[in-house]
Amino acid sequence: MALVESLTIGTVLVSQELMGLVNYHGHLCPELAIGYRVSRIAMNSLHITRENSLDFIAGAANSSSAVDAIQYLTGCTIGKQNFFIEDVGKHVYFFVKKPLDAPNNKGLFIKMKTPVYYPRLTDCVMDQNVEINSLTREQILKYRAVIDQAIGKILHRADNSLFDIHFADFGKEFFYRDTRWFN
């Protein structure tokens, strides 16, 4: 039996790693794709793994599906108390290695650039009809095609075209500043 390197969901080609995330979350959506990309950047930049996740703290400025991706892939979770959410509706994330007061401890900040992705992919009437399940088959296919196109862009664009990514000084006072980290 041959190993499958990638699979297709709708019209989007996904890796086995992303397919595992989709199975966990329940569906593939643009926010999940954003969380997948953010997680991969953090994992590659800071060498975060599920096995060493307790050595890190992560945070998100939203409570979208991206949060599921970060918890599933990095192992930083709300339950382990090393993942924090301050929901202000922004795709802004941070990751930092513990201890926070270590000399030269640089945290990784990832902020989604706009306008790369709009949650309202089609017209408002279409979105409302999706919510109340009153679409025709043709409308559903059109809606899914627009979502697949957004997901494809999120999955295949270069990191720096989707996100502002930078390292910044990090310390215990980070959580107590008057200025918010997600601005």
Side-chain angles (χ1 to χ4, degrees):
M1 179 156 103
L3 279 178
V4 177
E5 293 289 324
S6 59
L7 304 164
T8 303
I9 299 176
T11 60
V12 181
L13 189 65
V14 298
S15 67
Q16 284 195 327
E17 178 182 52
L18 182 52
M19 182 59 82
L21 172 59
V22 170
N23 288 333
Y24 166 77
H25 179 69
H27 64 270
L28 179 59
C29 60
E31 285 86 4
L32 195 70
I34 291 166
Y36 174 78
R37 292 294 304 276
V38 166
S39 298
R40 294 303 314 154
I41 292 167
M43 292 165 71
N44 291 334
S45 298
L46 298 173
H47 309 291
I48 301 172
T49 65
R50 293 186 64 76
E51 292 76 23
N52 72 5
S53 63
L54 285 173
D55 296 337
F56 293 88
I57 296 174
N62 66 77
S63 59
S64 73
S65 298
V67 169
D68 274 358
I70 293 167
Q71 291 185 102
Y72 179 83
L73 292 167
T74 69
C76 296
T77 68
I78 293 168
K80 291 181 193 171
Q81 299 181 357
N82 67 338
F83 185 78
F84 301 92
I85 297 173
E86 187 163 349
D87 189 356
V88 295
K90 296 181 180 183
H91 282 289
V92 180
Y93 307 89
F94 76 84
F95 300 84
V96 64
K97 188 165 177 45
K98 294 179 192 176
L100 295 180
D101 56 358
N104 302 317
N105 200 9
K106 298 280 187 185
L108 178 64
F109 287 89
I110 304 171
K111 181 178 183 180
M112 186 159 200
K113 293 181 179 180
T114 55
V116 172
Y117 161 70
Y118 296 101
R120 292 270 179 222
L121 297 170
T122 58
D123 60 66
C124 289
V125 173
M126 178 80 76
D127 288 331
Q128 290 169 354
N129 288 339
V130 166
E131 290 174 13
I132 60 171
N133 295 322
S134 66
L135 294 177
T136 66
R137 179 167 166 46
E138 293 79 26
Q139 290 172 316
I140 291 170
L141 292 173
K142 177 183 172 189
Y143 191 79
R144 188 71 234 179
V146 173
I147 290 174
D148 286 355
Q149 183 180 20
I151 292 167
K153 286 179 182 178
I154 293 164
L155 292 177
H156 299 294
R157 285 195 177 172
D159 291 344
N160 62 2
S161 75
L162 283 175
F163 304 103
D164 288 321
I165 304 165
H166 67 278
F167 285 91
D169 289 329
F170 225 93
K172 286 183 180 177
E173 71 279 356
F174 170 79
F175 291 100
Y176 304 106
R177 290 187 191 159
D178 290 332
T179 57
R180 308 311 279 166
W181 60 270
F182 48 77
N183 289 328

